[in-house]
Amino acid sequence: MRDVGVISFAASGVDRDADHNEVEIIVPVIRQAMADSGLTKPEIGFVCSGSLDYLFGGPFAFVAGVDAVGAVPPIRESHVEMDAAWALYEAWTYIQTGEIDTALIYGFSKGSIGDVHEILTMQTDPYNVLPLWPSATDMAALQARAYLEASGRTERDLAEVAARSQVNAKATPYATRSGDATVDAVLAQPKVADPLRAADVFAGSDGAAVIIIAADDVARRVCKRPAWIRGIEHRIEAHSLGVRDLTRSESTALAGAAAGVADGKVDIAELHAQFSHEELILAEALGLDAAATSINPSGGALAGNCLMAAGLQRFGEAAQRIWSGDADRAVVHATSGPCLQHNLVAVLEGE
Amino acid sequence: MSETFVAEHALEYPGGYTRSVGPVIGRFLTGLRDGRIEGVRARDGRVIVPPTEYDPVTSDEIGGDDGDWVDVGPAGRVVTWSWVANPRVGKHPLDRPFAFALIRLDGADTALLHAVDCGSPDGIVTGARVAPRWRAERVGKITDIECFTVLADGEQPVAATPRHVAADGAGDADGTDEGAVTSMNSAFRLEYRIPAGAATRRYLNGLAEGRIVGGRAPSSTEVYAASRGTDPKTGEPTSIEVEISDAGCVTTYCVVNIPGLSELAPEIPYVSAQILLDGADNMMFGLIRGCPVEDVHMGMRVKAKWADELKPDHRSILHWEPTGEPDAPYEHYKDNL
């Protein structure tokens, strides 16, 4: 295995960007990540993106994104119709072949132009589920209740996650929901999808995230302390909610074990929890101890869920804390599909 | 920001997709049409509802033999539920507040997603006994069950009414003479409000003034008409606004003989062309009118025909007309083909 490290990260996010198209949103973020990387464009071996046509409102969202990268002369490029964390996985795999040393990965969306909760319904079974139009929140609330009743946790536990997210997000410039929230203030909110309150449901975000990864000596040359990807794995569960055990996340547990989460102390964990209860389910699946591990110090996706970018942002948030020396070992998680269907886990370490 | 620069957009396929449902989902949907619910037995003995063509654990093909099939329900128990306080009219199964629930039907080992009509969150608990409320008009879709309702202690489920009975009372009451359900129509509509973005707004504002505005990146000499905001060669923002001539030459073109493709060209045939404007390095797309289609050729000089009333809208340019000037030499546009 080659050592591959995260060496640069940039992200943007506002709750509604009425002034820029997707390309205009992506460009400054790519330019920031490139400027910070110490690499020049010809040194980037591969570009891979994550986007979703249903969010864009038409086919081939990623083709528009290429205008932001600059594809003259033609570049090596690929795309996933998923969160860009899976684009990073593809890029990491490509680097392992030895053919390239570096990759730029980006994810973007403008959720504000449509109804993201309805758009996410399009990924459900078209025969027996889509005709009923359960929104992403409706489905998440089914999992929330199943988890609460099985675990003995309470809505106060959810509110604790929601309030902490908002407080932590005060230091995250692209967060769209942050502030001095308290557990009691969250519990005073009406329920939007019983048992979930507004603060338990992710805040929307229009924006982009960019990560640059590099192998071995290239990473060491441009970055004082690369955030090395020591393990990375993803696992998926059945499509139908009714055949899954929604009270736990077996796919996260398996991916975490394969990525080596348990092989050392975890200083921080950036978990792509889009709803409060998901953070609790994920922390259990990964065996994280809240006393030893700072969970979602950035505020996480609850504080701003730029779809197709939010999972990739988790890599950036963890890497920043390794670059700065605040953390030595971090767990990163990204998710895709309703109710934590598909989960990617990585372990990042500083040297 | 003015609403002028927001495009109302819908993602919709007229008539919807027609999906083949296959033998397993087809048998389930046929059952619903006939007022009963069937599950399929997996290799480990579990009964899967709604049925799948594959074993969820082993991926073995299942449902191929009659012996794999089991009648389930119609009543069952709520495994988990969530409350929908504000139903999405036209999408959600009910237009009044309701619960979504995962329901394990009697005889099933997995749960089916459906709506429960129970008035308020106080009307449902995990473990509640529920039964389907069947529609009278059933077509072979999951929505043939309008929703589930909560059963009181000892209350029995209400069977589905016969689907249709001929006026003379004869004929087939349960609809089995219609054969199996083999396809379903899947219609959806998603609505968007798409802001133009900064670069497109500059371009549209220019059209409202009878000007064509392009953009250029500081490090490049190349000018892009109707720029999307970047120099696509480098990804650098086209931050410098450049006014471009409304005249240029045809590079490549085609003759359209299909009616109804363009609101600006009601009659066929017409010519769609790529036009290299004087002062631009990319092409604009436009319709060529004002001359017989057979006279259109590469290098022909054309000029915008502006609408009488200008708006920040692409329709401010109606089409492009020949100017009668000498053709542009091939050298002028050979890099823009």
Side-chain angles (χ1 to χ4, degrees):
Chain A
M1 285 286 185
R2 302 181 76 190
D3 287 337
V4 178
V6 177
I7 60 156
S8 189
F9 166 62
S12 67
V14 294
D15 56 2
R16 180 171 180 269
D17 188 337
D19 296 328
H20 301 97
N21 64 33
E22 280 83 350
V23 172
E24 291 166 338
I25 286 174
I26 301 164
V27 164
V29 187
I30 287 184
R31 292 172 71 77
Q32 182 69 51
M34 282 299 297
D36 293 349
S37 73
L39 293 169
T40 61
K41 197 178 148 199
E43 290 177 286
I44 298 294
F46 180 51
V47 172
C48 200
S49 65
S51 66
L52 178 63
D53 292 350
Y54 281 117
L55 286 165
F56 184 68
F60 306 114
F62 70 96
V63 174
V66 171
D67 273 2
V69 181
V72 177
I75 57 174
R76 287 194 199 88
E77 192 265 352
S78 185
H79 163 259
V80 296
E81 194 78 358
M82 323 175 64
D83 190 287
W86 275 266
L88 184 145
Y89 185 88
E90 180 176 337
W92 175 87
T93 307
Y94 195 178
I95 290 177
Q96 292 300 336
T97 67
E99 288 188 25
I100 56 163
D101 296 322
T102 59
L104 181 148
I105 302 110
Y106 66 101
F108 63 97
S109 69
K110 277 189 79 175
S112 71
I113 67 171
D115 180 336
V116 297
H117 296 272
E118 214 165 69
I119 287 166
L120 291 172
T121 307
M122 297 301 296
Q123 66 190 327
T124 61
D125 164 17
Y127 305 102
N128 292 318
V129 178
L130 181 58
L132 304 172
W133 282 96
S135 73
T137 307
D138 296 336
M139 290 183 279
L142 290 171
Q143 183 168 34
R145 185 179 313 281
Y147 170 73
L148 291 179
E149 293 183 353
S151 68
R153 300 260 205 169
T154 64
E155 290 172 14
R156 177 164 282 273
D157 293 313
L158 302 186
E160 188 279 325
V161 172
R164 175 165 44 78
S165 159
Q166 292 185 35
V167 172
N168 286 353
K170 286 177 9 179
T172 303
Y174 58 88
T176 57
R177 184 168 63 204
S178 61
D180 294 313
T182 64
V183 172
D184 288 333
V186 170
L187 284 172
Q189 289 182 344
K191 290 176 181 173
V192 294
D194 195 331
L196 298 177
R197 295 172 168 81
D200 295 318
V201 178
F202 64 80
S205 176
D206 290 355
V210 178
I211 292 261
I212 299 173
I213 58 176
D216 305 323
D217 293 343
V218 180
R220 291 185 182 90
R221 171 167 63 81
V222 296
C223 186
K224 209 166 81 183
R225 193 178 195 239
W228 299 109
I229 300 168
R230 296 301 189 202
I232 184 166
E233 174 77 326
H234 62 96
R235 296 291 179 101
I236 192 166
E237 301 184 30
H239 195 198
S240 168
L241 297 182
V243 307
R244 291 170 46 195
D245 178 357
L246 295 179
T247 66
R248 49 197 283 271
S249 180
E250 190 181 2
S251 51
T252 301
L254 289 172
V261 170
D263 296 347
K265 179 174 176 297
V266 179
D267 299 318
I268 61 161
E270 279 286 337
L271 308 179
H272 187 193
Q274 302 175 89
F275 300 89
S276 296
H277 62 282
E278 292 183 350
E279 185 185 300
L280 301 174
I281 293 173
L282 292 167
E284 283 178 21
L286 292 165
L288 299 176
D289 171 4
T293 301
S294 170
I295 295 178
N296 284 343
S298 71
L302 278 175
N305 191 28
C306 182
L307 295 168
M308 308 303 121
L312 187 68
Q313 282 170 0
R314 309 279 67 78
F315 276 88
E317 289 297 336
Q320 281 182 334
R321 287 163 175 83
I322 287 174
W323 300 335
S324 68
D326 290 339
D328 293 324
R329 192 162 187 274
V331 166
V332 174
H333 162 268
T335 197
S336 179
C339 299
L340 301 172
Q341 184 194 0
H342 191 179
N343 295 287
L344 180 149
V345 179
V347 173
L348 304 187
E349 285 179 4
E351 260 170 351
Chain B
M1 190 186 70
S2 158
E3 293 298 288
T4 308
F5 299 107
V6 177
E8 305 278 346
H9 175 63
L11 193 57
E12 185 174 33
Y13 295 88
Y17 278 105
T18 300
R19 292 181 178 276
S20 297
V21 293
V24 171
I25 293 170
R27 179 162 172 166
F28 175 70
L29 296 177
T30 303
L32 294 180
R33 189 194 64 192
D34 298 342
R36 60 200 165 75
I37 309 174
E38 281 189 291
V40 68
R41 199 176 290 283
R43 290 285 177 259
D44 60 5
R46 291 194 308 157
V47 175
I48 312 294
V49 184
T52 53
E53 300 91 339
Y54 50 88
D55 185 301
V57 177
T58 65
S59 296
D60 285 344
E61 208 173 302
I62 54 176
D65 299 326
D66 280 345
D68 290 348
W69 290 82
V70 185
D71 276 317
V72 297
R77 290 201 183 275
V78 170
V79 175
T80 183
W81 59 275
S82 62
W83 189 250
V84 180
N86 297 299
R88 292 162 192 268
V89 177
K91 286 195 164 129
H92 275 153
L94 295 170
D95 58 7
R96 54 192 173 275
F98 70 96
F100 266 120
L102 286 170
I103 298 161
R104 186 171 298 134
L105 297 172
D106 296 348
D109 294 288
T110 66
L112 170 88
L113 180 77
H114 220 298
V116 180
D117 187 11
C118 57
S120 79
D122 297 331
I124 185 170
V125 291
T126 301
R129 235 174 128 60
V130 293
R133 180 190 290 155
W134 294 95
R135 288 184 199 280
E137 289 297 318
R138 297 188 299 276
V139 295
K141 285 187 79 167
I142 189 71
T143 46
D144 287 351
I145 298 173
E146 183 188 355
C147 60
F148 282 70
T149 56
V150 177
L151 295 175
D153 274 352
E155 185 182 352
Q156 292 302 309
V158 177
T161 54
R163 207 168 130 253
H164 58 122
V165 179
D168 61 1
D172 197 309
D174 65 8
T176 48
D177 63 337
E178 293 174 281
V181 173
T182 57
S183 69
M184 65 178 274
N185 183 270
S186 178
F188 67 85
R189 178 183 169 89
L190 295 170
E191 293 178 355
Y192 302 83
R193 292 173 50 76
I194 303 180
T200 301
R201 205 162 59 233
R202 284 198 294 273
Y203 168 69
L204 293 173
N205 273 326
L207 292 183
E209 297 166 0
R211 303 184 301 132
I212 297 175
V213 172
R216 177 173 77 77
S219 71
S220 171
T221 59
E222 305 217 332
V223 173
Y224 293 91
S227 167
R228 285 269 295 159
T230 63
D231 183 327
K233 290 186 176 178
T234 62
E236 192 180 353
T238 45
S239 53
I240 300 168
E241 192 171 309
V242 181
E243 185 159 347
I244 298 168
S245 167
D246 69 348
C249 72
V250 171
T251 61
T252 185
Y253 66 96
C254 69
V255 179
V256 180
N257 284 291
I258 304 165
L261 292 184
S262 170
E263 62 190 80
L264 294 174
E267 306 117 38
I268 56 167
Y270 62 90
V271 172
S272 283
Q274 295 276 62
I275 300 156
L276 179 61
L277 294 177
D278 301 341
D281 292 281
N282 66 330
M283 279 84 70
M284 296 269 292
F285 177 82
L287 308 179
I288 309 294
R289 304 188 75 179
C291 69
V293 297
E294 54 272 21
D295 289 354
V296 177
H297 54 274
M298 292 170 75
M300 186 171 81
R301 294 282 302 169
V302 294
K303 192 173 189 313
K305 170 66 178 170
W306 294 88
D308 291 338
E309 191 188 345
L310 297 177
K311 290 178 184 169
D313 185 308
H314 71 97
R315 283 165 294 197
S316 286
I317 296 177
L318 298 173
H319 56 259
W320 302 76
E321 293 178 337
T323 65
E325 297 165 286
D327 286 355
Y330 178 71
E331 287 300 308
H332 174 69
Y333 59 87
K334 70 177 172 53
D335 293 332
N336 293 84
L337 290 172

